Amino acid sequence: MNLPADNPPSPARILIVEDESRLARLLADYLEAAGYATHCLEDGREVAGWVKARKPDLVVLDLMLPGRDGLEICKEIRTFSLVPILMATARAEEIDRLLGLELGADDYLCKPYSPREVVARVKAILRRARPDSVMAEVAGPLQLDPDAFKVMAGDRSIELTAVEFQLFATLFQSPGRIFSRARLMDNIYADQRIVSDRTIDSHIKKLRRKLADILPGLELIHSVYGAGYRYEPVPREPGGPE
Ligand code: CA
């Protein structure tokens, strides 16, 4: 039996932690228009307790807050909850440092951001967070052959260059995790030679084109604006073959 269309599941609840109240209100309006329920907090000291008591589905967390900063809050939340955290910072250059600290945030936003961008990120994170969805397929249907620099999907395969393979293997082994360009370069160029960010971008471009040969129409390597790249496994069809 189909559920009536006017009886949707209860909306996901988003906690917005932002001390610029106009921005918080704007964000809440956009998220509510997209069908989410929201709650706003301004003081960093209230956040961890609220999350523990109310168990939101996602937290948009500003880095600079009165009372307590987003870094400490994120770390504390991770001691008791895996709720997705989308961290916002006004300093793009701060993101590399945050990634290095491995706080457990799920994504990062650069301020000023457009509320539409936030809604898109929230949707993407919640889709990933659903256990029956993308993240269930941790390894994906892909197999890697490190001796031949080959990637296989079923009976199709592609050969990569050594650099492309190293790049892909790094992303593939940590699905969902964002790698900055600097981190990817460190992994690939052990001799520390100076390469520009554009080098990584151009390898990623070639890699995407090759992957499209064996898995057409699927976006496996995602660009994260202002942050870097991440791999997302191929979604498994509900009820499809293992
Ligand atoms: Ca702030």
Side-chain angles (χ1 to χ4, degrees), residues 17-20 62-66 111:
V17 185
E18 172 57 67
D19 56 310
E20 293 167 53
D62 187 27
L63 185 66
M64 300 292 283
L65 292 164
K111 287 173 144 185

Side-chain angles (χ1 to χ4, degrees), residues 5 8 24 41 78-79 82 88 98-99 107 115 122 127 133 149 160 164 178 189 195 211 239 241:
L41 291 177
R78 279 292 171 265
T79 64
L82 290 172
L98 295 174
L99 284 168
D107 205 350
V122 164
R127 205 184 311 125
S133 180
F149 301 146
L160 304 177
E164 287 162 2
I178 304 164
Y189 298 102
V195 290
L211 290 168

Side-chain angles (χ1 to χ4, degrees), residues 149 160-168 188:
F149 301 146
L160 304 177
T161 65
V163 164
E164 287 162 2
F165 187 85
Q166 184 66 48
L167 191 55
F168 185 62
I188 292 165

Side-chain angles (χ1 to χ4, degrees), residues 5-216:
D6 60 355
N7 188 16
S10 61
R13 293 167 313 127
I14 316 291
L15 174 63
I16 299 165
V17 185
E18 172 57 67
D19 56 310
E20 293 167 53
S21 52
R22 282 177 58 189
L23 179 57
R25 196 58 250 159
L26 181 69
L27 205 47
D29 286 347
Y30 270 79
L31 287 165
E32 283 170 18
Y36 300 109
T38 65
H39 183 84
C40 299
L41 291 177
E42 293 186 8
D43 189 315
R45 284 163 295 206
E46 299 171 20
V47 181
W50 198 94
V51 170
K52 199 175 244 175
R54 307 285 290 274
K55 300 186 173 57
D57 295 297
L58 186 144
V59 181
V60 180
L61 180 62
D62 187 27
L63 185 66
M64 300 292 283
L65 292 164
R68 199 163 183 215
D69 77 25
L71 277 176
E72 280 181 41
I73 295 168
C74 189
K75 275 194 258 180
E76 185 179 348
I77 290 175
R78 279 292 171 265
T79 64
F80 62 83
S81 167
L82 290 172
V83 60
I85 297 173
L86 177 51
M87 190 171 270
T89 171
R91 294 167 58 198
E93 67 274 17
E94 182 78 358
I95 288 181
D96 257 354
R97 193 176 75 84
L98 295 174
L99 284 168
L101 294 174
E102 304 193 343
L103 301 167
D106 293 76
D107 205 350
Y108 295 88
L109 278 167
C110 272
K111 287 173 144 185
Y113 47 66
S114 85
R116 270 180 234 282
E117 167 75 3
V118 180
V119 170
R121 300 279 191 100
V122 164
K123 278 185 186 164
I125 293 173
L126 289 175
R127 205 184 311 125
R128 285 212 306 279
R130 282 211 320 264
D132 59 341
S133 180
V134 181
M135 286 308 273
E137 182 71 292
V138 172
L142 295 176
Q143 286 188 301
L144 274 58
D145 177 352
D147 295 323
F149 301 146
K150 269 165 85 170
V151 177
M152 281 106 30
D155 54 0
R156 312 182 72 173
S157 70
I158 42 163
E159 271 177 43
L160 304 177
T161 65
V163 164
E164 287 162 2
F165 187 85
Q166 184 66 48
L167 191 55
F168 185 62
T170 301
L171 294 165
F172 179 81
Q173 280 157 14
S174 300
R177 176 167 160 198
I178 304 164
F179 288 86
S180 67
R181 289 176 178 81
R183 176 72 67 92
L184 290 170
M185 281 190 275
D186 283 350
N187 270 12
I188 292 165
Y189 298 102
D191 58 355
Q192 301 292 320
R193 82 185 120 123
I194 306 301
V195 290
S196 82
D197 284 7
R198 295 198 189 282
T199 311
I200 292 292
D201 293 342
S202 106
H203 287 309
I204 292 277
K205 202 170 153 190
K206 287 181 206 151
L207 194 48
R208 280 176 169 153
R209 209 160 49 216
K210 290 184 178 179
L211 290 168
D213 284 347
I214 52 170
L215 290 167

